[in-house]
Amino acid sequence: MFGHRHDEHSPLQRALEAAGSLKAGSWESVESLAVLAIECKGTPEAEQLYQTAFRAAAQLKAGTYGAVRALAWLNRAGRELHSA
């Protein structure tokens, strides 16, 4: 499905590995990290992913569709991770 790798890594593990190769500060990286943070809720990695996405969001080009979408996902991640 994603290349020719036939390893035993879970889809989540492969997604975490792939996120590391995204261009820092791009809307793709912010959105991907936010989605991963939501998916990892309840694990130590969740807050780290959220914080990385939050820092990367400061570098987004304002006024683009991608930036709006990424920031909406980042907001959702913050709400889901930090709600009581």
Side-chain angles (χ1 to χ4, degrees), residues 19-20 22 28-38 46 49-50 52-54 56 77:
L22 293 171
E28 293 96 341
S29 70
V30 174
E31 182 175 332
S32 297
L33 291 166
V35 169
L36 283 168
I38 293 167
L49 289 163
Y50 174 77
T52 301
F54 190 85

Side-chain angles (χ1 to χ4, degrees), residues 9-21:
H9 289 106
S10 70
L12 179 58
Q13 184 59 41
R14 294 192 332 239
L16 289 166
E17 291 169 4
S21 65

Side-chain angles (χ1 to χ4, degrees), residues 60-84:
L60 289 175
K61 181 179 177 183
T64 66
Y65 166 81
V68 171
R69 182 178 166 100
L71 291 170
W73 273 107
L74 183 60
N75 186 69
R76 180 175 177 185
R79 189 175 63 243
E80 291 199 24
L81 295 177
H82 303 129
S83 63

